[in-house]
């Protein structure tokens, strides 16, 4: 059965079809949220919320855009809200004022004794270095790198999800990658070896 | 574009994604063949992209999947409960007519869905009975204006509790699904963004949105101004959070405001 057939069934109330849609997308959404939020527990909470929202709003999906981009948009919004909530409630023991690659001020919160954000064991040093560098990118740049290079979405899909023009996507990806290259210059050898 | 190293650097990202024109691609490839410095930059950048592409992925386990489905089932149950009473009592009267129209509309639109033979025999004049008529009875005076939207009795039965009789259509659980009740009556009624403020922020938000058209409680901001208004609302000192459902483009950004 095709995805659009499942969606049509969901809109008529078919719980089995909804179950199928969840199976089709839960890994993608979990990983996307994980990369945006940097914390597995937060990513799991966000993913749960994304699919409850999907259930509540699937009746209003008209098929004008692709279902996957619509779902990614929901996930982006859920993550954005979670990031905002976390910013307000976080108690910092040490905070460092930093400037990210888009010239925005951001606070790096360091809590005593807490585990580093990336709990998944990284295959190698290059990946760890890349994730550290990713954290230093501005929100917009980080998002396009995640969507393009980690999630593997097309420029068109990214334009849809982020609500920006395709030209903007092109230049944003270009600038983000350049920024990453600059941040990773000191680790160049790690990348040339892998 | 001239074939300088600087220009080629600018094109490397698009080259890696195969997003250049044929001419541009040839230009870059030709340059890379002869320029070692640029080739090194290309290899480095390509390697960064490959590293990102092969990032280890989390996988969902059965327990997590089941939790999703449980939460969804919970949400389904909650959407069937009668909504709390509206504070504006005078709105009840106008609510009746609207609600009755809504019931008719949703019954008709359900009947027009293919593959629902069990609904059509019930006809277009009879409302869908909610599966818990006792609930409707108990809260009839409070919820009369709202239960019809959930597919319950039309508002006109406020006075007499609607006890199920043999002549009324009673659709079993499997026939009327929770999704049906969760579908909003009309797409245009659906708020796209719900902003939540403190009391102070709420007042500020109202004044920001004061010039715009309203459809009930929903502010209609034309697309050209939506980014500006979004930024303004989020900059308000009493801004707490917002929930956004980016639905299809209607030419407007629809905003509702709420207080903490």
């Amino acid at each position: 059965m095709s995805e659009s057939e499942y969606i049509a069934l969901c809109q008529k109330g078919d719980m089995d079809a909804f179950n199928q849609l969840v199976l089709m997308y839960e890994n993608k959404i979990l990983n996307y949220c994980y990369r945006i939020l940097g914390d597995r527990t937060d990513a799991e909470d966000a993913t749960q919320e994304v699919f409850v929202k999907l259930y509540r709003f699937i009746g209003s999906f008209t098929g004008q855009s692709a279902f996957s981009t619509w779902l990614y948009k929901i996930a982006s919004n859920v993550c954005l809200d979670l990031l905002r909530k976390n910013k307000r409630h976080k108690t910092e023991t040490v905070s460092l004022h930093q400037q990210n690659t888009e010239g925005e001020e951001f606070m790096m919160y360091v809590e005593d004794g807490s585990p580093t954000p990336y709990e998944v064991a990284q295959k190698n040093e290059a990946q760890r270095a890349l994730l550290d560098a990713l954290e230093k990118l501005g929100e917009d740049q980080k998002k396009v790198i995640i969507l393009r290079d980690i999630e593997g979405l097309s420029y068109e899909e990214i334009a849809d999800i982020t609500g920006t023009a395709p030209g903007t996507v092109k230049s944003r990806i270009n600038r983000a990658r350049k920024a990453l290259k600059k941040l990773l210059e000191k680790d160049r050898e790690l990348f040339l070896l892998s | 574009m001239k074939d300088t190293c600087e220009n080629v650097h600018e094109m490397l990202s698009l080259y890696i994604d195969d997003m250049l024109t044929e001419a541009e691609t040839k230009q870059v490839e030709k340059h890379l063949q002869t320029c070692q410095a640029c080739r090194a930059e290309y290899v480095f950048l390509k390697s960064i992209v490959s590293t990102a592409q092969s990032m280890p992925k989390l996988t969902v386990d059965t327990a997590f999947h089941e939790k999703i489905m449980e939460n969804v089932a919970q949400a389904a149950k909650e959407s069937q409960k009668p909504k709390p009473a509206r504070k504006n009592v005078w709105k009840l009267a106008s609510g009746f007519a609207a609600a009755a129209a809504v019931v008719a509309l949703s019954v008709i639109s359900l009947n027009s869905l293919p593959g629902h033979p069990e609904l059509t025999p019930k006809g277009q004049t009879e409302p869908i009975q909610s599966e818990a008529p006792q609930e409707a009875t108990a809260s009839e005076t409070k919820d009369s204006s709202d239960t019809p939207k959930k597919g319950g009795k039309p508002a006109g039965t406020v006075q007499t509790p609607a006890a199920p009789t043999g002549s009324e259509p009673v659709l079993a659980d499997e026939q009327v699904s929770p999704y049906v009740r969760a579908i909003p009556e009309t797409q245009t009624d659906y708020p796209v963004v719900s902003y939540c403020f403190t009391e102070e922020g709420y007042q500020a938000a109202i004044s920001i949105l004061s010039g715009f058209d309203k459809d009930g409680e929903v502010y209609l901001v034309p697309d050209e101004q939506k980014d500006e208004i979004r930024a303004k609302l989020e900059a308000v000192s009493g801004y707490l959070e917002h929930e956004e459902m980016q639905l299809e483009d209607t030419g407007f950004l629809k905003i509702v405001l709420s207080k903490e």
Side-chain angles (χ1 to χ4, degrees):
Chain A
M1 205 180 281
S2 75
E3 180 182 278
S4 49
E5 285 170 319
Y6 280 126
I7 294 167
L9 283 175
C10 284
Q11 290 177 324
K12 290 177 205 168
D14 189 328
M15 195 57 120
D16 287 334
F18 191 80
N19 188 57
Q20 282 304 119
L21 273 188
V22 174
L23 286 170
M24 282 164 68
Y25 283 97
E26 58 191 356
N27 281 305
K28 281 193 192 143
I29 297 298
L30 178 64
N31 279 287
Y32 176 61
C33 293
Y34 182 52
R35 292 303 164 202
I36 298 270
L37 299 170
D39 175 272
R40 178 159 192 165
T41 314
D42 284 348
E44 288 180 348
D45 289 344
T47 305
Q48 293 287 337
E49 200 178 320
V50 168
F51 285 105
V52 170
K53 280 206 156 111
L54 174 65
Y55 158 75
R56 280 166 52 206
F57 299 146
I58 195 160
S60 28
F61 176 69
T62 59
Q64 270 183 331
S65 65
F67 178 75
S68 61
T69 55
W70 190 67
L71 190 57
Y72 271 108
K73 268 193 237 187
I74 296 175
S76 298
N77 290 332
V78 168
C79 288
L80 193 64
D81 278 348
L82 200 61
L83 284 171
R84 284 194 173 121
K85 270 188 201 149
N86 286 346
K87 261 190 205 166
R88 279 204 308 277
H89 299 149
K90 218 163 191 145
T91 48
E92 69 238 43
T93 50
V94 179
S95 67
L96 311 164
H97 273 280
Q98 304 253 320
Q99 229 186 36
N100 64 22
T101 53
E102 286 178 61
E104 297 158 338
E105 286 262 316
F106 78 106
M107 303 274 276
M108 213 160 96
Y109 298 97
V110 179
E111 285 170 31
D112 278 335
S114 60
T116 57
Y118 298 103
E119 294 148 62
V120 175
Q122 300 310 321
K123 255 196 255 170
N124 54 42
E125 299 265 345
Q127 284 170 346
R128 222 171 312 169
L130 175 55
L131 287 172
D132 283 342
L134 200 59
E135 277 312 292
K136 295 181 179 136
L137 292 184
E139 249 176 61
D140 286 340
Q141 285 184 354
K142 181 178 166 184
K143 199 189 223 176
V144 293
I145 292 291
I146 291 172
L147 289 170
R148 175 67 198 158
D149 292 333
I150 302 185
E151 295 298 306
L153 299 174
S154 73
Y155 278 56
E156 215 177 84
E157 287 171 318
I158 295 171
D160 243 339
I161 293 170
T162 54
T164 54
T168 310
V169 174
K170 281 184 190 174
S171 58
R172 207 173 269 175
I173 291 178
N174 190 14
R175 281 201 304 274
R177 283 179 176 161
K178 277 204 230 159
L180 281 178
K181 197 147 72 87
K182 198 167 168 192
L183 288 164
L184 292 168
E185 188 57 54
K186 55 177 168 48
D187 298 307
R188 197 182 253 251
E189 272 139 36
L190 287 177
F191 288 88
L192 298 180
L193 286 173
S194 60
Chain B
M1 208 191 235
K2 264 206 217 149
D3 184 21
T4 62
C5 289
E6 199 184 309
N7 290 334
V8 167
H9 278 193
E10 276 307 302
M11 292 197 272
L12 285 179
S13 176
L14 291 172
Y15 174 65
I16 285 173
D17 289 340
D18 205 18
M19 292 288 287
L20 292 176
T21 64
E22 218 180 290
E24 287 168 334
T25 307
K26 286 203 176 114
Q27 192 186 355
V28 170
E29 281 175 348
K30 195 172 164 197
H31 183 94
L32 289 180
Q33 270 167 15
T34 53
C35 177
Q36 203 185 18
C38 284
R39 205 158 56 237
E41 288 313 299
Y42 165 70
V43 166
F44 183 28
L45 190 61
K46 183 95 173 73
S47 166
I48 292 173
V49 171
S50 302
T51 303
Q53 286 167 341
S54 60
M55 208 59 89
K57 309 262 186 195
L58 298 175
T59 44
V60 164
D61 61 19
T62 327
F64 188 77
H65 176 87
E66 268 161 28
K67 192 172 172 203
I68 292 178
M69 297 312 289
E70 265 168 44
N71 286 338
V72 167
Q74 183 64 35
K77 274 201 191 124
E78 277 166 18
S79 73
Q80 289 167 28
K81 286 189 195 148
K83 276 193 207 157
R86 278 207 191 135
K87 290 186 182 165
N88 277 345
V89 175
W90 70 266
K91 271 193 178 174
L92 272 177
S94 55
F96 288 174
V102 155
V103 171
L105 191 69
S106 41
V107 170
I108 290 167
S109 59
L110 281 171
N111 287 329
S112 66
L113 287 174
H116 257 213
E118 65 269 22
L119 286 178
T120 36
K122 304 306 173 191
Q124 291 170 336
T125 50
E126 291 168 86
I128 303 162
Q129 175 130 343
S130 71
E131 59 172 358
Q134 298 82 2
E135 278 177 44
T137 305
S139 49
E140 94 244 11
T141 44
K142 286 185 204 159
D143 308 329
S144 50
S145 59
D146 288 276
T147 43
K149 286 185 185 169
K150 298 298 183 203
K153 296 262 153 275
T157 56
V158 150
Q159 306 307 322
T160 335
T165 65
S167 58
E168 307 225 23
V170 179
L171 297 169
D173 278 9
E174 323 87 58
Q175 291 168 306
V176 180
S177 80
Y179 292 104
V180 166
R181 298 201 183 99
I183 293 174
E185 290 82 13
T186 60
Q187 188 129 335
T188 53
D189 281 350
Y190 213 88
V192 175
V193 196
S194 307
Y195 279 92
C196 185
F197 296 91
T198 57
E199 173 70 54
E200 189 193 308
Y202 186 77
Q203 299 307 325
I206 287 185
S207 66
I208 289 173
L209 291 169
S210 64
F212 295 97
D213 281 338
K214 267 178 99 168
D215 177 11
E217 286 310 307
V218 181
Y219 288 91
L220 302 171
V221 173
D223 275 347
E224 317 84 66
Q225 292 174 280
K226 67 181 175 185
D227 288 330
E228 179 199 327
I229 293 299
R230 267 202 191 107
K232 277 189 183 161
L233 288 174
E234 288 164 32
V236 165
S237 80
Y239 166 80
L240 294 172
E241 62 190 3
H242 74 280
E243 184 178 77
E244 183 158 342
M245 269 312 307
Q246 290 182 33
L247 300 175
E248 315 304 338
D249 279 329
T250 55
F252 291 100
L253 180 68
K254 301 186 183 99
I255 298 177
V256 290
L257 302 175
S258 65
K259 283 185 251 190
E260 192 176 28

